[in-house]
Structure formats: C-alpha cells, structure tokens
Amino acid sequence: MSRIQTLFDRLRGEGRTALIPFITAGDPTPELTLELMHRMVAAGADLIELGVPFSDPIADGPVIQRATERALAQGVSLRDVLGIVSRFRETDDQTPVVLMGYLNPIEVMGGAVFAQAASEAGMDGALIVDVPPEESHDLVDAIKAQGLDLVYLLAPTSDAARIEAIAEVASGFVYYVSVKGVTGAGHLDVDEVSAKLDAIRARIALPVGVGFGIRDAATAARVARVADAVIVGSAIVSRIEVLAQEGQAERIPAAIGDFLGELRTAIDATNDGGQHG
C-alpha cells in the first residue's frame, strides 16, 4: 500500500481532511526548500506537492511562473528536485510527496529512468499536467511499475467521459481544479465545487483534493466540508515571493509554517467525522 493511500485511509477513519501545500522546488533556494518541507509537516501538512521548475508552465498563473523563474535562475533541474526529496527522506519517511510538473523534463531524462530515480528518491507520485490519460500509457506503465501513484487533474469542464477516462489510470487521489483558468485565478464557489465532486465520486473511488482559489483559512474551511483534501499553492508561493524580495528569506519557513497552522486549525474545526464522504 502506498504512503498516499495509507494517509487517506487514516484520515478517512479519523474524519479529517488532508492539507496539501504546494511549493516550487528551489524557490528561493534548494536549501530553504528542504527546510520549508519539514516546517510545513510540523505545521500540519499531510502531503507535500513539490513543483518542478519548467520554462513554459502553461497551467500556472503569474505567481507560480515567477517562482519557477527564480528556481531556474539557480539552475534547479528535475534531478535536483529528486535530490531534495531524497534528503527529505533522511528524516521523514512518512509524509507523502507528489511531484508536480510538465512532461518535457521527464522526456529529457527518459520515462523509465525518471520513474526509477523518483522511486529511489522516495517520491510517492507524480502529477504531470500536460499529459492527458489518452497519451500517457508508456509513462503510466513506467511509473506504476515503480509503485508510484499518478495523480490527474479534473476541471469544472470535465464531462462524464473524461472523468471515466481518468478513473482508468489515476491512483492515489485526483486533483479537482475548482475554478477555470490558471493557478491563482478566479473566484471559488464552494456550492459549485460540491456539486461537481458528487459527479466525480459517482465515477471515481479515489479521494478528491480541491485546489485553485484557496487563499485563506476561511476558504480552506469551506472547502474542507466537501473535499478529501485542501490544496493550497499560490497563497503560499506569494508569501515566499514577498519575503524573498524583501531580503528576508530566512523568515520564510516560519511564516509559511504559521500560515499553514492557521489553515490546519480552520480545517480541523470544520471536520466533524468525515461529512464530505
């Protein structure tokens, strides 16, 4: 059983919603990324989504695009990201880590080579945003052969056929993009999210995490009532950016830890025994 499945099984039994923060690996530095990962776990993160810097992040809004640019300026590569995970695993062998990125760096490395390297580093899964389920069979085979999970995105525009196609290949959990557009965009309507999650759960048995548009504790609490996981990215990365620009990078781990602590408290106050299913 994967770390991801173990996590969601435990949280389901406890009636709790997962908190999944996203950060871009190497932003502002690889060393701070490692420290930040540990601080986020201490603050209540259940799973970490770690972004791989890429030159053309088409699914990301300007906040995460700038984070990617900062990491790329330091030469952070896919192998460097796996190295950070490997160092994280030296002292944390429980918290699942999912790589979020794009296909090009994986193709450069080679699908089978990537899958083996990710497994050896202690990665638990991958979300490759520009690989649709219809075109990913070789990579799916390579990743699953290493016992890793493949996470897929669903959107407000995903129809029944699309949901069923993803149900065939997804594992671990699925990521529901709660608003149309890129990361950091749009207004989140929790009632609409709830209705869509019902349609997804009718066809997919996996836990469903909800991301995009979650900026504060109040929004996280509302999403926690209906989702299996609350995923927060741009709100974290924007805080990292401000502190880095102010020359206060050393304050980043504590500041992000405090923010996640607020989200964790709000989510746990909302949970009352797994009412979101």
Side-chain angles (χ1 to χ4, degrees), residues 47-199:
L47 183 154
I48 294 172
E49 187 183 352
L50 194 59
V52 177
F54 179 55
S55 58
D56 190 21
I58 57 175
D60 294 304
V63 170
I64 294 177
Q65 285 182 10
R66 290 194 297 270
T68 287
E69 291 169 0
R70 290 191 294 272
L72 287 175
Q74 300 183 74
V76 176
S77 67
L78 175 55
R79 288 192 181 276
D80 294 326
V81 177
L82 296 179
I84 292 171
V85 176
S86 181
R87 292 169 62 195
F88 177 74
R89 285 284 172 241
E90 292 174 3
T91 52
D92 187 327
D93 64 356
Q94 297 296 318
T95 305
V97 179
V98 170
L99 178 151
M100 184 274 193
Y102 296 82
L103 180 60
N104 184 266
I106 294 173
E107 284 190 324
V108 170
M109 181 181 288
V113 174
F114 161 74
Q116 181 175 347
S119 177
E120 291 174 351
M123 191 75 71
D124 297 283
L127 194 172
I128 308 165
V129 298
D130 53 348
V131 176
E134 300 86 354
E135 299 177 11
S136 59
H137 298 302
D138 290 345
L139 185 56
V140 166
D141 291 344
I143 289 175
K144 291 194 172 182
Q146 294 292 336
L148 304 178
D149 287 317
L150 265 173
V151 180
Y152 282 87
L153 296 170
L154 286 167
T157 53
S158 298
D159 59 16
R162 186 66 170 178
I163 295 171
E164 289 171 2
I166 286 175
E168 292 292 320
V169 293
S171 60
F173 68 100
V174 293
Y175 185 143
Y176 178 63
V177 176
S178 59
V179 296
K180 298 176 183 178
V182 296
T183 56
H187 171 71
L188 191 154
D189 186 318
V190 176
D191 290 335
E192 289 183 4
V193 169
S194 180
K196 190 65 177 185
L197 294 190
D198 289 341

